[in-house]
Amino acid sequence: MSILRRFKATDLFRFNNINLDFLTETYNISFYLSYLARWPDLFCLQESPNGTLMGYFMGKAEGRGKDWHGHVTAITVAPEYRRLGLADGMMQLLENVSEKTYDGYFVDLFVRVSNTVAIGMYKKFGYSVFRRVIGYYSSGDEEEDAFDMHKPLPRDVNRESVNENGENTFVKPEDL
Amino acid sequence: MCLKEEFAPYMLLPKEIFSLLELQSIDSQNYKGALSQITKLQKKQPHALILKSLKALVLERSGKSQEALVLCNEVKACKPADEAILQALTTVYRSLGKHEEIVQLYESAARSQPKNEVLASHMFMAMVRNDDYKGQQQAALKLHKTFKTNRYLFWAIMSLILQAQEASPPQSNIFLTLAERMMIKAVEDNRLEETEEVHLYLSILLSQNKVKEALGVIDGQLGQRCKDDTEITRIRQDLLLKSENWTLLRETSKKELTETNADDWKSYLAYFEAVFHLSNSDDLTESLNKMSLNDVSDFLNSLKEKELRSSNPRRGPFLAELEYNRNLAAQRKDTSLEASNSLIIGYFQRFGSKACCFEDLLPYLCNISGDVSKDLVDKFQATIEESSDDEKSKIQNIQKWVNIHKLKRYLGHITASTDTEFIQYTNKLWHSYQDSLQYGVSLVETENQFGDDFVILASHTLIDAYIQKGKYFFIIKAILLLESAFQRSKHNFQLQLLLIRLYQIIGVHLRALEIYKSMDIKHIQLDTLSHFIVTRSSSLGFYKEAVQLCYDTLPIYRSNDLETPEMIVHAYKYGTYTKVNEFIEFKKALRNSLQRLLSNRESIRLEIIAACLSTKRIAEYFDEIDISNLLFDQKFCETRQDNRDFKVMANYNPVDKASIEELIRSSPKLDTYWLKVFTLVPLILKKIYDNQTPDEVKDLANILDQIITQPETLSLTEEEKKLGQFVSKLGFIYVAIKESLAEKEGTSLSVSTVISELLLTLEAFYTQVISEVIIVEFSWQHFNRLSLFLEGSSYIVIVIGVIYKLIGTKSKKSGCRELHQAVKSLVIFLKEKLISIKSHLNILKDKAKPAELLAGLLPTITSGSSLDFCSQEENAPFIRQILHRISKSWTIRMYTFGTG
């Protein structure tokens, strides 16, 4: 049970219960505000009945021609609100906006190849691996590949944004 | 990456200059090289404005702001209109916060080229950055008139709304009426194309409370265009509620719940509101709309059934059922306690394995009597099936038990009052935690153990014991349990926050600091969370790190000044009008942040204490300190905004009791009283240092004196009040000496009287510092006392330095001998006390040594009615390790105090 609404700039003052989670990155002001300024309908949050922030997603619309699509930049839920289906609701909204407001061909996202829990969840939501990006995540000496996962929207009538052999299609980050 | 952007003006340069500069400076950040290139070119073209502005840019980058500013103003006076020059100057001005200059710059440029759209829109943006709403409006109207683009019209309307918000009625109404009229005209001319423009229209209507008109817009042609925008749906729901259109509200919320989102809390609330209004209505026509309350149950049941068909049913309709039942009870409609209790039990049975079940149930449990709630929790327990052997249900049961314990705590069922009872309950929680560990063996490092909350609750129990019994070792025990859990859940921030606070209570800064640093607090969190470590950091005496921590918070405020105005500009560029207001609000919140000032005042204290190591450093510090920002007037204080996040710390205490966060503050929460005191302290010292007139110092000392004697200054510790007294008395001493030297008639203060007053205060403070610490129970309190005594002594040293200078210059005059003697007595007294404190610290240092400490603490921790954790042999090395760490931190502290 929650209120799903647009993210406000001042919500940044009270999102700590979500962002103190180790795997949720905190970015600089410009990062959040530039998303809000450009895609206000693709940056939303879930709020609990007592007013605590539960989770949020941020996304954008990008690409040219048939590559025009919605992109999930971040999606996160605070530890105490996991396994409630919140991510499900947020992804649905993002896909809905990508389809109806931005008229995109598909929605995509990047995920660490080791993050099997998340990959499983996205597959359940209808995403499939489109390609594997070599060394997309790098910190220090450690590098990790990313799966670029796609979910076609109705506009992609011929399902051109889906790649049956995605897990074996390798690309370098600079060729994205 | 940033460099290229900063040097964007280069890109607009003639090729030859560009390539020279690019090679020399952009890639290598070689400012010196760039400067010499520019100087060379200037020899050929001494009057080239572009070269001057580039020079200003490079100077600003290399930290020479003043020189840069002089050059910029020189160029600006020539009224340039060249894009490259304007950009270079804008970059410098912006970085120095001179938004007014940018406005003037573009104003004159736009005037010289009225047909240049880029310049005109730059001028608008300059006004935006400068928060000049009226200027914005005029600039936007001019843009619209000249270039006809729709966007400019909306810029003007937005600017009107902002002006309305700044003004008060009737002026504000005039702005809004005008904005509305412009909007209606824009609609007639078919100028509205985007959802954001419709939002803009709605915001004008809503700020005038024109509910009917706003609904008309949403339900009309314009609304059709943005029917996919969830925000519009939300606004419509609010409007239907406001206009009391219950039938329609009922239908739309029902539709929303069935078709879009069965988890939408707001729609449930709206739906219930509508249903109850309709059923209470006496109106005959509406009575046709009356639906029997059975229909509500049917509707909720249908939603429930739908959820139950899914593999992971959402809570929405189930929680809504509880809410509906509560409403029924409130309206005394047919509902029995039994029925509502069985719903609550059913909810627990179904969702008890979710962490948020505790939070979900609170509203429905808080108003029932103790006996009933006890009975309920017993029934919750009975629903837990322990027989199943599969791992998944075992893990679910862990969470259920965690919820049970949280509820018991919240409902006041934990009634321990003796040491043994507290320990027994803690042991119970600890054993549950230990049992849970077997299911988390394969969890990855980034995940928390399933039973961590048991340990959190155990620590809360020990905190209760500490508060009730005042026994120090309960805190140590809580630390031991939390540290043990922290080893297995390395990123559990609730454990981290608790540990930071508890270590502070026992005066152990080293570990608190280490944990804080590991949390990677950054960006906006520097404003909301830094209070956990920066608050009164001087009291724990780790001066060097503490001052660095204060300075580390500054970048967020700088980013706000530089980045947020740009983002407001972005919002205009992309026509995202809903965000303009939000960003302005955000900018103000950070700019007026209370925490920003609290960190700043703390850093000033720390700097002065550090400077007292030598007269040269005192001189340097007081010559440099800028007091123009040391404001403390009432209006200034009232407009500060408190963005500190205290709620992030988990709390399961009863609603009428203080929260855990409040209970484990090592000292009272800082507020504007504290701010005033620690603004006045450096202000008075600086005025004395600068040899200002007695009247000026007297005024400030009187204000300080008033604040610390007010009863409502609960945010100040006793020691801080004493420190305030020191400083105000120092002010009076200064005044008395000045007046006596001037041989002013009718001087009110006698030097020897004020000095002896100070001596008395000093003596009393000293006795406290020296007398209390005998046993091995160091705490924040002790360090705070020590630290503030030393801080006060530092201030006395500073003022004595000034006084000696004063007397020295006029030593021939009669009466000076008397003055000398009075001051000397103060010096001798202070010296004595400091020497004796030093030897006192040496004794303490020995007591804090590991061997002594273990001998003192270990028996209390491990013997008698102790925690099972502590008496288990295998934990002994771990406990010793933690106590060693505590000892190390304490001894380091004694050392820095002793040498400080």
Side-chain angles (χ1 to χ4, degrees), chain B residues 419 462 465-476 777:
Chain B
D419 286 11
L462 290 168
Y466 164 72
I467 304 279
Q468 278 185 37
K469 301 280 160 184
K471 286 180 189 163
Y472 181 75
F473 59 82
F474 283 120
I475 292 292
I476 304 263
E777 288 191 5

Side-chain angles (χ1 to χ4, degrees), chain B residues 3 61 159 348 351 364 473 500 654 749 755 774 833:
Chain B
L3 205 66
R61 286 296 142 211
S159 309
F348 183 85
F351 297 105
Y364 312 105
F473 59 82
I500 289 175
L749 298 161
I755 287 190
I774 316 153
K833 299 302 169 202

Side-chain angles (χ1 to χ4, degrees), chain B residues 2-255:
Chain B
C2 270
L3 205 66
K4 277 260 154 68
E5 271 170 38
E6 279 173 25
F7 285 85
Y10 285 142
M11 310 301 175
L12 299 160
L13 285 178
K15 250 191 192 154
E16 119 205 55
I17 305 181
F18 177 68
S19 56
L20 265 174
L21 286 171
E22 188 179 41
L23 285 174
Q24 287 291 332
S25 73
I26 298 185
D27 288 345
S28 58
Q29 294 193 43
N30 176 0
Y31 299 129
K32 252 190 187 164
L35 273 183
S36 74
Q37 284 299 324
I38 294 169
T39 319
K40 251 188 221 164
L41 290 165
Q42 275 184 322
K43 279 184 186 144
K44 289 185 209 161
Q45 297 170 278
H47 302 298
L49 291 181
I50 181 69
L51 292 175
K52 278 191 186 172
S53 24
L54 282 177
K55 191 172 175 184
L57 186 60
V58 178
L59 284 172
E60 196 277 324
R61 286 296 142 211
S62 38
K64 293 172 183 159
S65 335
Q66 268 316 311
E67 287 176 56
L69 211 53
V70 171
L71 262 183
C72 282
N73 291 342
E74 229 174 83
V75 179
K76 187 183 139 224
C78 304
K79 303 190 172 172
D82 177 83
E83 187 76 1
I85 296 172
L86 292 172
Q87 275 205 35
L89 293 189
T90 305
T91 311
V92 180
Y93 281 138
R94 195 185 299 162
S95 159
L96 299 174
K98 306 272 177 197
H99 295 290
E100 186 61 39
E101 306 285 342
I102 306 177
V103 173
Q104 292 166 4
L105 191 65
Y106 276 102
E107 253 171 352
S108 65
R111 207 173 296 133
S112 72
Q113 298 185 21
K115 292 286 167 205
N116 186 331
E117 190 169 354
V118 175
L119 280 184
S121 75
H122 270 305
M123 186 172 107
F124 173 82
M125 297 309 177
M127 306 266 193
V128 170
R129 289 188 192 97
N130 201 28
D131 296 318
D132 178 358
Y133 305 144
K134 191 175 177 202
Q136 264 174 240
Q137 185 208 339
Q138 288 162 347
L141 282 175
K142 209 168 168 191
L143 270 163
H144 185 241
K145 201 172 152 198
T146 321
F147 306 104
K148 310 286 179 216
T149 313
N150 285 346
R151 190 167 46 154
Y152 301 139
L153 181 67
F154 298 115
W155 288 4
I157 294 175
M158 186 71 229
S159 309
L160 275 169
I161 296 176
L162 293 174
Q163 287 178 79
Q165 284 166 359
E166 293 269 289
S168 42
Q171 190 58 34
S172 55
N173 297 336
I174 299 174
F175 287 123
L176 288 173
T177 315
L178 185 56
E180 189 182 348
R181 235 180 263 155
M182 283 168 75
M183 207 38 139
I184 292 172
K185 177 85 173 40
V187 174
E188 283 166 4
D189 298 347
N190 285 322
R191 290 182 196 272
L192 272 72
E193 285 162 353
E194 304 291 334
T195 308
E196 281 291 325
E197 290 152 10
V198 180
H199 274 292
L200 188 63
Y201 191 3
L202 288 174
S203 81
I204 299 170
L205 294 172
L206 293 178
S207 20
Q208 300 176 92
N209 216 7
K210 293 189 171 173
V211 176
K212 212 178 93 202
E213 290 85 344
L215 264 174
V217 170
I218 296 181
D219 291 336
Q221 252 185 337
L222 285 174
Q224 270 306 304
R225 226 177 283 169
C226 26
K227 63 180 188 326
D228 295 322
D229 186 89
T230 46
E231 215 64 14
I232 296 268
T233 319
R234 180 76 66 218
I235 295 173
R236 182 165 185 266
Q237 214 173 44
D238 288 343
L239 291 172
L240 289 175
L241 191 85
K242 264 192 194 158
S243 61
E244 305 189 350
N245 191 338
W246 307 120
T247 320
L248 205 51
L249 182 64
R250 185 186 66 197
E251 292 321 308
T252 47
S253 8
K254 214 173 152 182
K255 190 168 167 240

Side-chain angles (χ1 to χ4, degrees), chain B residues 550-567:
Chain B
C550 293
Y551 290 141
D552 285 347
T553 64
L554 295 179
I556 183 61
Y557 306 111
R558 172 97 179 134
S559 303
N560 183 47
D561 287 341
L562 286 180
E563 294 170 27
T564 313
E566 294 318 301
M567 291 301 134

Side-chain angles (χ1 to χ4, degrees), chain B residues 604 607-609 611-612 615-627 681-690 794-795 798-799 802:
Chain B
I604 293 177
E607 291 277 16
I608 298 180
I609 296 170
C612 279
T615 18
K616 195 176 148 226
R617 282 179 65 184
I618 294 177
E620 277 170 3
Y621 188 75
F622 279 100
D623 283 338
E624 267 172 36
I625 186 176
D626 173 17
I627 54 167
V681 166
L683 210 51
I684 292 173
L685 293 174
K686 167 78 173 168
K687 297 269 179 197
I688 295 177
Y689 182 83
D690 283 352
S794 306
Y795 297 158
I798 293 169
V799 177
V802 176

Side-chain angles (χ1 to χ4, degrees), chain B residues 660-676:
Chain B
I660 279 291
E661 186 281 317
E662 289 166 313
L663 292 175
I664 55 171
R665 287 177 189 159
S666 52
S667 58
K669 179 176 166 182
L670 304 190
D671 64 7
T672 47
Y673 283 112
W674 189 93
L675 177 67
K676 281 181 191 169

Side-chain angles (χ1 to χ4, degrees), chain B residues 805-818:
Chain B
K805 262 193 224 159
L806 280 178
I807 308 174
T809 55
K810 298 205 171 190
S811 60
K812 278 173 198 157
K813 291 209 171 176
S814 63
C816 266
R817 203 184 316 143
E818 207 180 301

